[in-house]
Every structure is written in C-alpha cells, then in structure tokens.
Amino acid sequence: MDTKILIIGACGQIGSELTLSLRSIYGNDNVIASDIREGNYELIQSGPFEILDAKNYEQIKECVEKHQITDVYLLAAMLSATGEKHPMIAWDLNMNSLFNILNLAKYKQIKKVFWPSSIAVFGSTTPRQNTPQFTVMEPATVYGITKQTGERWCEYYHKNYGVDVRSIRYPGIISWKTLPGGGTTDYAVEIFYEAIKNKSYKCFLSNDTALPMMYMDDAVKATIDIMRADKDDITIHSSYNLAAITFTPDEVAAEIKKHIPEFTISYEPDFRQKIADSWPQSIDDSKAREDWNWNHSFDLEKMTKVMLENLG
Ligand code: SER
C-alpha cells in the first residue's frame, strides 16, 4: 500500500514546514494537512486540508478512513509556557490526542505514527550537560509531564500491541516561516524578528541561559529520516534525544550583531526563567546518530545568517 499521510496540527510552527517537505517527497495529494482552524495559505493551497480536532477520536477515524491514511504525524500540542497557565487543558489536549492516534494504530487503522517529545521531559534532577538518553527524568512543567507520560505510553503500545510509533525529543526550534506559540524557547525566534524590526530586543530569559536549539531544516530532516528509517534500526520506542546547537541569549545576540551592529539586547526574566532553568543545557544524541544516522547541518553562524536573510 502506498504511503498516505495525515498531519495533525499542520498549521503550527513545525507542521507548516514539515507538510510542505512531505508533499514534495510523497506528492501533494498524498499528504493531508489538518488543524483545528485554517491557517497558512501556502499549506491550504498546495494540497488537501481538513479541519480536525485532535481530541476527537471519531472525527480523526473518519478522516483516516476517507483518505486511506497509513501514517499520522501528530503535532498538535500545548507547549511549556501556555501549559503552565492552563494545566488541565494542556493535559487534556496533549494526552488525549496521543491516545487517539495510538489507538488507531492499535486497531490497525493506520500503520505508523510520529509523535514528538521534547527536552521538557527532563527536570532539575537531570544532569544538565550532555544529558544522556537514559537518565533521571522528573519534569516540573505540565508540558514536560505530558511528554514524559506520552513517552511511556508510546513504549507501552509498541511492546504490548506492536504499534510502530517513532519519536524524537525536539529541542527549541528556530524558524522564520511560522511563529512558534507558547514555548520557553520562543525567545530565540522573537529575537530575530525584533532585531530586524526594532534593532533591539527585551529577552524574557537571563543572558546566560543556555538551552539546546535546532534550525527548522534540521528538525524537519530528523522527522522525515526517523520515519523513513528501517524498522529494525529503531531501538528506542520511547523517544530519541536529538541535538544540534546550544547557545545563550548573549551568544545569539553577539552573532546577530555581526550582521546588525546597532542591535541591542536587554534582559527581563519572567516565569519562563524557572522553566528554562529546569531543562538541560546540552544533549547527548549519540543513539540517534548511531541508529538512524542523524546529523545536523546548521550551526549558530549559519542559522543566524539564514534567519536574517529570510526575515529581512
Ligand atoms: N520549544 C518547547 C517549549 O519551549 C520545548 O519543547 O515549550
């Protein structure tokens, strides 16, 4: 059977770029984009689009049957900062959307699932440098708790029901096409918009807060690579550590200044500082590199250049 893809949460930061990449590989008509509401003109124009509530099992099942879907990429989620404001809504969305898709796979309605986890699964008792694949995980945010719980369920569905679910722990994702929403790492995108518009940026994290980050093209590549990997090469059925760059607000500001010398940054940490302080500063992703040949191609310098070129 040919691959037919459904992307849930296709209008978000990652979904909008992943959908277009998947369409260029599998053909526009074989990649169904869906979201709770319409967004992103390019996405809606370039192929099929469905309004779908990730929490509604019957609606998703109907869509899967209508389009004879084989693979689902579930990208709908409430991120860390918004999740702290709406804990129960975050839990409801992040967990029930995952159960809906895992159960469709359990009942053989679909063959393969991609579900993203996050660096938020780690907490303040986790080693923060070069965080290992297998380590202490005591997440302190609702978002992190949902991702950690989700990882356990993915592994459970794989072991007990043979579900082919693949997952990576995304770091902060930096991109210029679609804005991120409600995350702690969002500053690393906002800073570029503000640098171009106002030549200054007030950062909600402190100057020396190091966090793992990744440019969108690398994140999309990782997602497509893990889904195309040989089933036998996937040895981790919870979620893979994934890394590319680590930087502080100071460091990205210095890199921006190389292109915009008059750029200035100031700091006013808010509630998101506490979240960032509980997360790793750098990640050991050797398992992903070994198992399915993951490698990244964007460093801080290259990413900064591409961001400023595209937003400028
Ligand atoms: N970018 C996410 C957040 O900040 C982390 O996965 O919530």
Side-chain angles (χ1 to χ4, degrees), residues 48-302:
F49 182 84
E50 300 271 1
I51 297 283
L52 219 55
D53 177 355
K55 300 200 302 293
N56 188 327
Y57 183 78
E58 287 308 320
Q59 220 181 58
I60 300 169
K61 186 166 169 266
E62 212 172 279
C63 178
V64 160
E65 282 166 357
K66 175 176 156 197
H67 295 282
Q68 297 183 303
I69 298 297
T70 58
D71 301 5
V72 172
Y73 292 66
L74 173 57
L75 296 168
M78 189 178 282
L79 297 189
S80 61
T82 315
E84 291 310 285
K85 292 184 178 150
H86 309 284
M88 288 302 114
I89 300 175
W91 175 262
D92 184 30
L93 171 63
N94 296 2
M95 295 319 302
N96 286 320
S97 60
L98 177 60
F99 280 125
N100 286 344
I101 303 310
L102 288 178
N103 284 328
L104 280 174
K106 175 182 167 183
Y107 299 126
K108 310 274 181 251
Q109 305 263 352
I110 53 173
K111 285 172 129 176
K112 218 193 261 185
V113 176
F114 176 80
W115 174 78
S117 185
S118 158
I119 52 168
V121 292
F122 302 114
S124 56
T125 50
T126 305
R128 292 185 76 200
Q129 307 291 343
N130 220 19
T131 300
Q133 173 70 43
F134 302 109
T135 184
V136 179
M137 291 162 106
E138 295 185 312
T141 60
V142 177
Y143 176 64
I145 294 170
T146 64
K147 289 296 179 187
Q148 223 264 319
T149 313
E151 285 192 12
R152 298 290 86 227
W153 279 110
C154 286
E155 195 176 273
Y156 186 92
Y157 270 67
H158 171 77
K159 276 202 182 129
N160 293 289
Y161 310 126
V163 166
D164 186 358
V165 48
R166 304 176 183 204
S167 177
I168 48 194
R169 293 172 180 149
Y170 286 133
I173 309 292
I174 292 135
S175 65
W176 54 269
K177 275 195 184 163
T178 309
L179 280 169
T184 301
T185 56
D186 293 10
Y187 92 83
V189 177
E190 285 173 17
I191 193 170
F192 287 100
Y193 279 81
E194 293 300 310
I196 286 174
K197 217 170 97 198
N198 299 321
K199 314 259 180 283
S200 71
Y201 178 61
K202 186 156 77 181
C203 186
F204 59 74
L205 297 181
S206 68
N207 67 320
D208 58 352
T209 307
L211 285 170
M213 301 280 184
M214 180 177 287
Y215 184 59
M216 179 61 88
D217 289 18
D218 279 332
V220 167
K221 181 175 165 293
T223 308
I224 292 173
D225 283 356
I226 193 175
M227 284 298 271
R228 297 186 103 184
D230 213 64
K231 207 172 171 178
D232 298 335
D233 290 339
I234 305 293
T235 62
I236 291 172
H237 301 284
S238 52
S239 191
Y240 279 91
N241 274 8
L242 194 75
I245 334 168
T246 276
F247 57 78
T248 64
D250 257 357
E251 286 164 345
V252 65
E255 198 58 42
I256 291 172
K257 267 190 204 175
K258 289 185 190 166
H259 302 264
I260 307 173
E262 61 275 41
F263 175 67
T264 57
I265 184 162
S266 57
Y267 297 96
E268 204 173 289
D270 66 14
F271 74 102
R272 288 168 281 194
Q273 184 66 47
K274 206 169 95 195
I275 301 176
D277 287 342
S278 76
W279 287 354
Q281 297 182 324
S282 59
I283 300 279
D284 173 2
D285 64 350
S286 47
K287 268 312 245 174
R289 290 177 194 260
E290 272 163 40
D291 283 4
W292 41 278
N293 296 322
W294 155 246
N295 58 66
H296 68 281
S297 38
F298 283 80
D299 57 15
L300 177 59
E301 196 184 331
K302 192 168 160 193

